[in-house]
Amino acid sequence: MHINITKYYYGDIPDAGNNNTHESTGHSTTSSWPLWEVFIRSKQGLDHKHAGSLHAADAAMAIENARDVYTRRQEGISIWVVESQYIHASNPDDAEMFYEPASDKVYRHPTFYDLPDEVKHM
Amino acid sequence: MNLKNLYHSFLLHLADSSLIIAQRNGECCAHGPILEQDIAITNITLDLLGQSRNFYQYAAQRLNEANGSSETEDTLAYHRGERDFKNFLLCELPNGDWAQTITRQFLFSCFQQLLFEKLSKSNDEHLAAIANKSLKEIQYHVKWSSEWVIRLGDGTEESHERMKKAIDYLWPYTGEMFMPATYDIINLEDLKSIWLNKVEAVLQEATLSVPANTFMHSGGKSGVHTEHLGFLLAEMQYLQRTYPGAEW
Amino acid sequence: MTLHDLEKIFQAKIDQEIKIEPKDWMPEAYRKTNIRQISQHAHSEIVGMLPEGNWISRAPSLKRKAILVAKVQDEAGHGLYLYAAAETLGISRDQMIDDLHSGKAKYSSIFNYPTLSWADMGAIGWLVDGAAIMNQVMLCRTSYGPYARAMVRICKEESFHQRQGFDALLVLSKGSEAQRAMCQDAINRWWWPSLMMFGPKDSESTNSDQSMKWKIKRKTNDELRQNFVDMIAEQIKLLGMTLPDPDLKWNEERKHYDFGEIDWTEFWNVVKGNGPCNKQRLDARRKAHTEGQWVREAAIAYANKKKEKSAAA
């Protein structure tokens, strides 16, 4: 006997018994707004930090949408947006050759140098 | 309510216009054309709601000082009837489509900006402070709504047509903003040409124009409204009316 | 590297609590499970705007109106963060919305119940958001990076939602007889559906569970549900109201509250689309989307025109 038991969680809503067989309809892309990445400077003197993404028809709208979506609670004083398709990212497969060679260059860090206590202001 | 003091009426007029258009915009919440814009117009709703509360609170304070009454922002918003509301007719008109919603906001915000610039220089420090705070919000409303007017006017054929329809419908309700009521304290005639220039410039960029029909409705400022307001208030005030005296 | 090796590396990362990021290798099933769950979560936020949005126009004071507007707006924001998190997995928002509108994708059944009185705004904040927060706090540590980060932001913002709900009920509980009755009625109607939000019982499940192994989920339905009952059973005392469950009783031995059996027939009925508002909610979402089509098209058309102009200049 074969019993099919599935475990469900809140946030994972079961569709058991729903004989809905709709497949997604292809949508027209004429109305799709591109995706933008949003970077926010939370206060003067700090870097812009990635806050999230959103959709907008153009850059001006993206900035305004970012203002409305990501600074509702005074989270920022400056906004950058860039269309997501223009972000170039390093490949995680290259992680080893990219980042590991830096691990043995301890001499780049100030704590590597053990100086006599008499040396001040360094 | 004793409104012999015209200044009280003026404060209520300001409060009512902000509240009624906020109530209309609030209807868009959860029904906007895209999530991002749902959030945007809801921010504007919150700004306008905040303005109305500031004006009602101030009006209540002034009324209570003058009459020994015990008005609050809520008695003023929820216990007055259709004939007592002094908002512009423009503010109570239905949302229609997105073109109508954003055009209504545009026409109103452009006016608000000019009016509030004047009010921010008022001798009444309290009023000036409210106007000043609101101005920052309004500048953004003008920017946001102007951009939408341009975008839709110069977008597709359909959006252009819809914008034309929206302007034709709303335009006859704009004249009222410049018709002085007994309680007005600002010379509105001065604002009219500045407003018209600003609006025309945006419409032009949107490849739209001011309608030829120059007939203007009026009545809102003196409490004679369209049929729409009664339903709006019935809905808005129903809990306060059904359970008099209850705290919420 | 063989598929098996990749899977081993992947699982090792999960076991070491290293987050999975969009461009990392992941099993196809992990991607699919996350897309399914994150998009359902997003849909729940968006559909969840409707029952509360219902009362914006009728909020009984200006302060309550402002709070409610801000709250429903937050839900739009949360839906947006979650759609964006799902998009990092290679599905577009349009696709997800299509799936919602076609009935293929699901959302939390709780939003298929009607909001019939003002007290429902309080009950939703206290019970429904309260139940959601149990799950969301756990999800802040979920293994997929973008989902976890979205949840951190959401949890920060949600903290006012439950409080305002309880506050609204507290005022009603101290109000007139009619208000107290309204308050109790709302609790009666929302209690069981809130418990159903945690999903079917653990006993209906297999032992090996992929979601737990992948740390998408970290607690079982029953654990979360029990935590929720323990919390609410104490809080309701402050309202002077009762929960509609004669079996609700503190169990000294378990150090937990015992509670009655959930009506699973009702649960499955609502899931299957027979809840009081299933059709109404989806119709409202479809209508907003359809009526927004020309707006979205116009914005793109205008943006393209401007691009062409600046290119020509």
Side-chain angles (χ1 to χ4, degrees), chain B residues 234-247:
Chain B
E235 192 171 333
M236 184 176 89
Q237 299 177 334
Y238 118 85
L239 277 169
Q240 288 269 353
R241 300 281 193 191
T242 312
Y243 304 99
E247 292 281 326

Side-chain angles (χ1 to χ4, degrees), chain C residues 181-212:
Chain C
M182 192 188 280
C183 179
Q184 183 63 61
D185 172 60
I187 293 169
N188 291 349
R189 280 182 291 109
W190 288 96
W191 172 246
W192 290 107
S194 307
L195 291 189
M196 293 178 200
M197 283 174 72
F198 295 94
K201 287 198 288 192
D202 295 349
S203 56
E204 296 185 13
S205 64
T206 52
N207 290 327
S208 75
D209 183 79
Q210 202 60 55
S211 280
M212 293 290 261

